[in-house]
Amino acid sequence: MEIPKPKVTIKPDQHVFRGETVTLRCDIDGEGVTSWQYSWYKNGSANAFSELQEHTFSPVTESDAGKYSCYGAEREGSCISNISDAVTLIVSDTAAAVLSVSPQKWLTEGDPVTLICEVYGSSTGWTFNWYTVTLSSGRNSSDQYALLSDSSRGAGGNYIVSSAALKHTGVYVCTAERGQPAYKTAFSSKQQLWVTGVSPPVSLIISPNRTQHFNLVSVSLSCEDQSNSDRWRVRSYTDHWGLEDCSSSVWGSQTGSTCKISSTVPSNTGVYWCQSESGENYHPVNITVHIGVILESPVHPVTEGDTLTLHCLYPYTSPPNLRADFYKDGSLIQNQTTEMIISNVSKSHEGFYYCKHSERGESPKSWISVRVSHSESQISVLHTLSSVLAVCPYLLVTVVLIFKCCRMRVHWPLTFRYFRRNG
């Protein structure tokens, strides 16, 4: 018979990470042979290191990396196999889960968004979990992680939100795991989702009224609702300080629903929002503290049809307005002006804006969102309803006429016979 050739498989993958359980398996398709004795070889060595069909590394280490092949001989028989092709096992130090957001992390209620969790360098056999970052009370508190109740396991690395709601505002991480016993990655780096409500019950009022601020100035952030209550607290997430309450931070103090930063520093750069007593998050605003040129742009979304005005400011000139170039999404839209004005704003004007001065430098980027006017949407609905109502009488008359015609067709032959019979 033809001499069989073994096939080597590696589970969970040829690229694994230190600490995983890895199994090498040798399969031989030999006709008429019921029992094989196996021999395993590493890196072309003539000395076999195992005689089992499956050889397991538990846990695997970097020293186990290499090229593996196997060979078989029939137990109590004369049949032998060829040696298999070598299969390479790669062992890396540690697996890292990486989280990204598509299409963007700044959203309006109803927008779709996807959190994508990946393990760089490996894509086989992983299941994923997503968590929100929470905060325990106290000045020296550390991040806590809450597993999402609808986490996806074994369905790929995508966590899909088809329609973003205010509750989705927050900071997210993910982990990946595979194998038995399970090998788990550490938490991924943090990603943020910020959902702006169409009509939130509270507004975050910032003074000075802009998203970018100079270094070493005083900034006030107030959560204001219709009842002027003190039930709101200001929270923030910054790369330097992480997730914090203003009242327990080292950089601010809160009185009622107002947070006061007495002297800004670049580490205050981050997202600030209002949180209710029950833990609901509203009105996130991205605040940047920069040493140098800043862009003066509106804090809140601009409504379609309104006018958008931008300035380029520098703290060491009087007045601070600079004649500068203005950019949107990396493209120059207006040059050498002290004030950029966009009349009749539309959704197409949404994007990242910044300004640049030839000598003073470039400002950070600020996202400017555009929301649909409620009055316009209401007018559109009323126009549609009025059109339907205007057409309805004509439709009704048409239906009545058709019905009468149908009845006349049914009765006409009987009427005709009656007149013929009775002269």
Side-chain angles (χ1 to χ4, degrees):
M1 85 179 178
E2 185 179 351
I3 299 176
K5 186 175 184 178
K7 181 181 179 180
V8 174
T9 55
I10 303 177
K11 290 185 177 181
D13 193 10
Q14 285 185 238
H15 185 185
V16 296
F17 300 90
R18 185 181 63 201
E20 286 196 83
T21 297
V22 178
T23 299
L24 306 176
R25 181 179 173 86
C26 184
D27 287 299
I28 306 174
D29 186 12
E31 184 177 349
V33 179
T34 58
S35 179
W36 291 97
Q37 180 174 327
Y38 302 89
S39 298
W40 283 98
Y41 304 93
K42 180 182 179 182
N43 295 333
S45 171
N47 299 318
F49 65 87
S50 175
E51 295 182 349
L52 301 173
Q53 183 180 16
E54 291 188 347
H55 180 80
T56 299
F57 302 103
S58 183
V60 72
T61 65
E62 287 90 340
S63 63
D64 295 319
K67 295 183 177 181
Y68 289 89
S69 55
C70 68
Y71 164 85
E74 184 182 12
R75 295 182 186 274
E76 301 178 357
S78 59
C79 184
I80 60 172
S81 77
N82 286 312
I83 193 162
S84 72
D85 292 332
V87 177
T88 302
L89 175 65
I90 302 170
V91 183
S92 296
D93 183 11
T94 54
V98 180
L99 183 62
S100 58
V101 176
S102 177
Q104 62 190 24
K105 61 185 179 181
W106 282 94
L107 308 165
T108 303
E109 275 185 299
D111 288 347
V113 66
T114 301
L115 298 175
I116 304 167
C117 193
E118 300 174 279
V119 178
Y120 277 178
S122 179
S123 59
T124 302
W126 297 99
T127 58
F128 302 89
N129 278 324
W130 285 265
Y131 303 79
T132 53
V133 181
T134 60
L135 183 70
S136 57
S137 59
R139 185 177 291 272
N140 298 319
S141 58
S142 59
D143 288 340
Q144 305 293 323
Y145 301 95
L147 180 67
L148 293 176
S149 60
D150 50 355
S151 284
S152 170
R153 295 179 53 82
N158 292 343
Y159 179 76
I160 300 172
V161 178
S162 58
S163 180
L166 293 174
K167 67 178 182 180
H168 292 116
T169 287
V171 182
Y172 294 79
V173 295
C174 72
T175 60
E177 63 179 75
R178 71 176 177 185
Q180 291 294 334
Y183 170 85
K184 298 181 180 180
T185 67
F187 287 109
S188 68
S189 57
K190 299 180 180 70
Q191 284 287 351
Q192 307 135 43
L193 282 185
W194 309 113
V195 184
T196 301
V198 176
S199 54
V202 64
S203 293
L204 181 61
I205 307 301
I206 302 174
S207 180
N209 186 26
R210 54 177 180 250
T211 58
Q212 296 185 17
H213 297 270
F214 296 128
N215 190 44
L216 303 178
V217 298
S218 175
V219 174
S220 172
L221 306 99
S222 298
C223 295
E224 297 184 5
D225 59 14
Q226 292 183 346
S227 61
N228 199 27
S229 68
D230 290 339
R231 64 189 185 95
W232 304 97
R233 55 182 179 177
V234 178
R235 298 199 80 184
S236 68
Y237 180 81
T238 65
D239 290 337
H240 184 84
W241 301 105
L243 197 61
E244 284 194 311
D245 281 326
C246 177
S247 58
S248 59
S249 69
V250 298
W251 45 262
S253 59
Q254 181 152 342
T255 303
S257 292
T258 299
C259 175
K260 181 76 174 292
I261 304 174
S262 57
S263 182
T264 56
V265 290
S267 61
N268 292 132
T269 295
V271 179
Y272 295 73
W273 66 94
C274 299
Q275 187 177 74
S276 67
E277 294 172 335
S278 58
E280 296 169 310
N281 300 319
Y282 296 100
H283 219 142
V285 174
N286 194 25
I287 291 178
T288 303
V289 178
H290 186 59
I291 302 174
V293 175
I294 66 170
L295 178 72
E296 186 178 53
S297 60
V299 171
H300 306 302
V302 184
T303 303
E304 281 188 318
D306 287 355
T307 298
L308 171 63
T309 303
L310 304 175
H311 297 98
C312 199
L313 306 180
Y314 188 65
Y316 307 116
T317 59
S318 183
N321 290 34
L322 293 176
R323 180 174 294 276
D325 299 333
F326 289 83
Y327 294 79
K328 174 183 178 290
D329 297 328
S331 299
L332 178 67
I333 53 176
Q334 195 166 336
N335 62 345
Q336 293 302 299
T337 181
T338 56
E339 182 178 72
M340 196 191 82
I341 300 175
I342 301 175
S343 302
N344 195 23
V345 168
S346 66
K347 196 69 175 176
S348 64
H349 291 111
E350 198 169 68
F352 284 99
Y353 289 78
Y354 65 96
C355 64
K356 185 176 182 180
H357 187 269
S358 58
E359 297 178 358
R360 308 300 185 188
E362 182 179 307
S363 77
K365 298 176 177 63
S366 279
W367 172 262
I368 295 178
S369 59
V370 179
R371 63 187 171 195
V372 178
S373 170
H374 289 300
S375 58
E376 287 183 7
S377 60
Q378 290 171 359
I379 290 171
S380 176
V381 172
L382 289 173
H383 181 268
T384 302
L385 288 173
S386 63
S387 300
V388 172
L389 292 173
V391 173
C392 279
Y394 297 101
L395 291 175
L396 183 60
V397 170
T398 303
V399 171
V400 170
L401 289 174
I402 291 172
F403 179 72
K404 284 183 173 293
C405 287
C406 290
R407 291 194 63 183
M408 288 178 67
R409 283 186 180 182
V410 172
H411 293 291
W412 173 250
L414 297 174
T415 305
F416 181 73
R417 285 199 296 271
Y418 172 81
F419 280 113
R420 285 190 64 185
R421 197 176 292 158
N422 295 279

